[in-house]
Amino acid sequence: MDVKKKAPRRRYITGFDGLRTIGVLGVILYHLRPELFKGGYLGVPIFMVVSGYLITDGLVMEITRTGRFNFKNFWLKRIRRLYPALLVVLFGTAAYITLFARGLLHNLHAIIATNLVYLYNWWQIANGQSYFARFADGESPFTHLWTLSIEGQFYLVFPLLVLLLFGIFRLSKGKMAGITLGLAGASAIWMGVLYKITAGGAHFDPSRLYYGTDTRVFAILLGAALAFIWPSAHLARHITDAARRMLDVVGLLALVGMLAMVVLVQDQDPFLYEGGMFIFSVLVTILVAVVAHPAAHLNRWLSNPVFSWVGSRSYGLYLYQFPVMIFFEQKFTHVADHPWAYPIAEVLIIVLLTELSFRFVEQPAAHWMFKRQLSGGQPAQLRSERVPLAQRMTTWWGHLKPSQIVVTVVLTVTFAVGMTGVVQAPHAKVQQTSLQKHLAQSAKAKAAEKKRYAAYKSSLSAQKAKDKSSGSGSSSSSSQKVGKNDFAQYGLTDDEFAYAANVGLTGVGDSVMADGKPLLEQIFPQSFIDAAVSRQAADGIGIVKKYAQDGTLANNVLVGLGTNGPVTSDQIDDLMHTVGKKRQVFWINTHVPTRQWQNQVNATLADSAKKYSNLTIIDWNGYSNGHADWFYDDNVHPNPDGNPRYAAFIAKTIVDKLRDQK
């Protein structure tokens, strides 16, 4: 390879700050208001593509200019850029947990360690951590850091691959682009294959696909491939007007396509894992190519003081968002009552912490300010003489400004308290809440549930045959023996209890229904309840479809979905189409005041009930409102006092509706 001694200097592409702004705002808005910004999580591939392009562009430029690559300088730059803020977030969050949220101490040592070595995403996978779980064991303030691990792994492996193939074996840039695109395609295909293999189960959670380096690295690799064929330093500043217009049109179309996916594609949509994520990353790559071109207008359109400010601080904004949201909403639980005030307050806190971090941590570290201060302003003397450590520290402290002293003290205390939590974590006894213990006991009953399902299936088949022979459309039977009514004190009369005993019912729900499942099955002995922790609407509707296809869907369907995320009218339409007009659907609305989507879910259900005559909304939220004593501390799951009220209220609503039809 010929070494170019006068290679073009790398230029700063201001439009990338605009792309970073779009990415970080999308992610933050998604976490704050997922019912409104349901595709905001797609901001992550934007970061990945931009990162892949910039890292590879600089890598190729250095190898082309010098014939080698300085890994030491590369990693020092990455450490100076990424580690200071990451350390503050990790140990700052650990300090808060140690002092105010000790229930999260479990596994804290492993979380900190794996984040420091950029293996956290694989730890999440190995330990069954769900990106979509809301109430199983409490949300982790570290969940969002998975993406940093993928990028860290890329920084370690990809430069070695480029140096080997491009620098030593001297493959052309075209071949390097082809290899990189091939790896990206393999990653995307593997995501689709794994989804096909694992999707469809009653407890399916796509977090493995969401976290995995193997299933997500295609976004970074697409950006890397672009750098080989679209090097920033070799793009012409002067092109024809027609070429400029074509660049602008292509870039705008890519941007519109990206925004459309942000609006339309939910985080557990099958399309996302069967090619949608890859398509979005391709659109981002096209947009990156246009923004990088100095002759296109998009770079200028995405360059302004606001985007510059947000883009330069996007890393900090991303880091601080989740800890702030989690801890804020632990203290201020009635989030649904303040759908805008609370998110605005959270954003202000995130921005404040980010700015403090940027000014007093990230910028000083980037310019090696602390290195100069440690020398006491006399670097030559300290390099030539063996100055005792105590004298070094005294000299260093004497040269600190008041603001720097405050920052140093705060960071020292933060790291000390955080490290205390990390040390305690392996020995901390995990204290499960009563709710978690109950759900864990339910999980142990999987074998018994299979037997119950087999009996339910057999009973349902026999009942349908009987109904067919008698010409009845009901799945009820008068042969069911009625036990003692333990729910009379909760408003369910003996007559209603006896009627419920002969109602065939299929239930599909989330953890709230799972908590009430034993009592519901006591009231409805001819029922089968399929409820699981962290289940979202899309997954639950898929299960209803499966039962419909298997012929095990009763004439009465009970749905309890909406605790863990928004429910759309399209999803309700999908479920009602699956169930058909002859079955009755009873959908329990949500009591989840700690989440912004409560009101959206309940309003959507109410509107849909006007559209479908066979859809009845069970107003659990209205019935339980004002009765905090019916719930566990999360104010979402009914406690032993609220559970029988939950079951009795559902039963009473179902019985009254079925009786009115006769």
Side-chain angles (χ1 to χ4, degrees):
M1 179 184 298
D2 295 331
V3 177
K4 299 180 181 180
K5 296 181 179 180
K6 293 184 179 180
R9 292 181 61 84
R10 194 176 186 187
R11 60 189 176 88
Y12 184 80
I13 303 171
T14 55
F16 285 169
D17 281 336
L19 292 180
R20 293 188 185 99
T21 299
I22 295 172
V24 74
L25 289 181
V27 173
I28 291 176
L29 291 173
Y30 163 72
H31 287 143
L32 285 172
R33 297 294 303 272
E35 78 281 13
L36 297 179
F37 307 98
K38 57 186 178 183
Y41 61 91
L42 289 169
V44 171
I46 297 177
F47 284 116
M48 289 183 168
V49 174
V50 172
S51 180
Y53 179 76
L54 289 176
I55 292 298
T56 308
D57 189 46
L59 182 66
V60 171
M61 187 178 296
E62 182 176 344
I63 294 176
T64 301
R65 184 176 64 249
T66 66
R68 60 187 181 84
F69 180 68
N70 192 323
F71 280 97
K72 179 181 177 181
N73 286 345
F74 175 80
W75 270 98
L76 283 176
K77 288 179 181 178
R78 300 273 69 76
I79 290 172
R80 283 160 50 191
R81 171 71 181 91
L82 302 176
Y83 253 68
L86 177 62
L87 288 173
V88 171
V89 168
L90 289 175
F91 286 94
T93 304
Y96 185 94
I97 289 172
T98 303
L99 295 174
F100 307 111
R102 297 183 65 83
L104 295 175
L105 276 174
H106 183 54
N107 284 328
L108 184 59
H109 62 299
I111 292 172
I112 299 295
T114 52
N115 268 292
L116 291 176
V117 296
Y118 290 129
L119 290 174
Y120 180 54
N121 65 317
W122 289 112
W123 183 89
Q124 289 174 297
I125 291 171
N127 287 270
Q129 302 292 301
S130 173
Y131 183 78
F132 310 99
R134 298 293 179 179
F135 300 105
D137 298 303
E139 285 185 278
S140 167
F142 303 101
T143 299
H144 64 309
L145 299 181
W146 65 271
T147 182
L148 302 184
S149 291
I150 292 180
E151 293 208 25
Q153 293 158 33
F154 171 79
Y155 297 151
L156 178 63
V157 176
F158 195 71
L160 293 173
L161 180 65
V162 173
L163 182 62
L164 176 66
L165 298 181
F166 183 65
I168 297 178
F169 288 99
R170 302 184 179 181
L171 295 186
S172 66
K173 291 181 180 179
K175 290 182 179 179
M176 289 299 303
I179 292 172
T180 308
L181 285 174
L183 292 173
S187 172
I189 292 172
W190 180 233
M191 172 183 271
V193 169
L194 273 185
Y195 184 82
K196 286 292 186 182
I197 293 173
T198 57
H203 304 285
F204 171 67
D205 185 323
S207 294
R208 160 65 182 90
L209 308 174
Y210 202 87
Y211 288 141
T213 306
D214 54 340
T215 53
R216 294 301 299 270
V217 75
F218 57 78
I220 304 180
L221 291 175
L222 285 173
L226 178 66
F228 287 111
I229 59 177
W230 200 263
S232 63
H234 294 278
L235 300 175
R237 294 181 177 274
H238 303 288
I239 60 176
T240 65
D241 290 340
R244 181 180 292 106
R245 283 194 295 271
M246 184 178 70
L247 279 174
D248 291 340
V249 169
V250 169
L252 286 173
L253 288 176
L255 180 59
V256 170
M258 289 166 53
L259 295 178
M261 291 188 67
V262 167
V263 172
L264 298 174
V265 183
Q266 290 189 312
D267 54 16
Q268 295 195 62
D269 192 319
F271 166 71
L272 185 69
Y273 304 97
E274 295 176 338
M277 188 86 75
F278 184 75
I279 292 172
F280 183 85
S281 300
V282 170
L283 293 175
V284 176
T285 305
I286 294 172
L287 184 59
V288 167
V290 175
V291 171
H293 202 291
H297 290 110
L298 269 173
N299 181 62
R300 187 172 72 250
W301 296 341
L302 291 173
S303 301
N304 59 63
V306 174
F307 283 3
S308 177
W309 188 91
V310 176
S312 63
R313 293 157 175 79
S314 58
Y315 178 60
L317 291 169
Y318 185 85
L319 285 177
Y320 287 100
Q321 54 158 332
F322 230 54
V324 169
M325 293 176 193
I326 298 300
F327 296 141
F328 183 93
E329 292 172 12
Q330 282 182 351
K331 297 298 182 183
F332 302 92
T333 56
H334 291 279
V335 177
D337 294 337
H338 306 278
W340 292 109
Y342 280 6
I344 290 173
E346 290 173 70
V347 168
L348 291 175
I349 296 172
I350 293 168
V351 170
L352 175 61
L353 290 176
T354 298
E355 184 63 19
L356 291 174
S357 175
F358 184 79
R359 289 178 179 271
F360 297 108
V361 178
E362 296 174 59
Q363 285 294 95
H367 295 91
W368 292 103
M369 183 185 74
F370 293 135
K371 181 179 180 180
R372 293 196 299 271
Q373 287 174 340
L374 280 169
S375 69
Q378 305 174 50
Q381 178 185 352
L382 291 180
R383 284 197 301 267
S384 61
E385 299 179 9
R386 293 184 177 180
V387 181
L389 179 60
Q391 183 177 340
R392 282 177 180 263
M393 297 301 296
T394 303
T395 305
W396 166 68
W397 186 264
H399 283 77
L400 288 178
K401 298 177 182 178
S403 60
Q404 294 167 345
I405 293 176
V406 172
V407 172
T408 302
V409 171
V410 169
L411 291 180
T412 301
V413 173
T414 297
F415 276 77
V417 177
M419 184 56 71
T420 300
V422 173
V423 172
Q424 289 179 345
H427 309 290
K429 184 178 179 181
V430 184
Q431 297 292 335
Q432 285 187 315
T433 65
S434 299
L435 169 63
Q436 290 167 342
K437 290 178 181 178
H438 181 80
L439 294 178
Q441 291 170 355
S442 298
K444 295 177 182 178
K446 288 182 179 179
E449 186 170 332
K450 287 183 179 180
K451 293 182 180 179
R452 179 177 173 82
Y453 177 69
Y456 161 79
K457 186 176 181 179
S458 176
S459 174
L460 187 62
S461 298
Q463 185 61 50
K464 286 183 177 180
K466 181 179 179 181
D467 292 340
K468 185 176 181 179
S469 63
S470 64
S472 171
S474 171
S475 61
S476 300
S477 171
S478 59
S479 62
Q480 180 69 34
K481 294 182 179 180
V482 180
K484 179 184 177 183
N485 179 15
D486 295 324
F487 302 88
Q489 60 180 314
Y490 304 109
L492 189 67
T493 66
D494 290 343
D495 190 36
E496 291 168 335
F497 182 75
Y499 190 96
N502 297 300
V503 173
L505 184 72
T506 304
V508 175
D510 50 38
S511 57
V512 174
M513 186 182 286
D515 192 30
K517 176 180 176 177
L519 297 183
L520 286 172
E521 290 178 340
Q522 181 180 341
I523 297 174
F524 296 99
Q526 296 189 47
S527 69
F528 180 75
I529 307 296
D530 185 335
V533 173
S534 301
R535 180 176 287 164
Q536 295 201 8
D539 191 26
I541 293 170
I543 293 169
V544 172
K545 289 182 178 180
K546 181 179 181 298
Y547 288 146
Q549 292 170 356
D550 293 346
T552 56
L553 199 61
N555 283 349
N556 301 295
V557 181
L558 177 65
V559 182
L561 300 168
T563 303
N564 299 295
V567 177
T568 67
S569 57
D570 288 342
Q571 289 175 325
I572 298 174
D573 292 342
D574 190 16
L575 181 138
M576 296 305 297
H577 176 75
T578 299
V579 169
K581 296 181 179 180
K582 294 183 179 181
R583 292 187 177 92
Q584 291 295 318
V585 178
F586 299 89
W587 197 311
I588 311 163
N589 69 9
T590 62
H591 177 88
V592 53
T594 58
R595 293 294 182 267
Q596 298 89 343
W597 55 77
Q598 172 194 271
N599 298 338
Q600 178 270 336
V601 170
N602 293 342
T604 303
L605 288 173
D607 290 340
S608 296
K610 299 174 184 177
K611 183 177 178 180
Y612 298 99
S613 60
N614 61 329
L615 173 60
T616 301
I617 305 304
I618 300 177
D619 188 16
W620 169 242
N621 180 63
Y623 181 64
S624 62
N625 192 32
H627 295 281
D629 56 315
W630 292 2
F631 297 91
Y632 287 104
D633 291 340
D634 66 357
N635 203 17
V636 175
H637 295 86
N639 59 24
D641 187 38
N643 246 326
R645 301 177 190 277
Y646 171 82
F649 181 70
I650 291 171
K652 191 175 186 68
T653 305
I654 292 175
V655 169
D656 289 348
K657 175 67 177 181
L658 295 178
R659 279 179 163 179
D660 289 343
Q661 289 182 320
K662 291 190 173 182

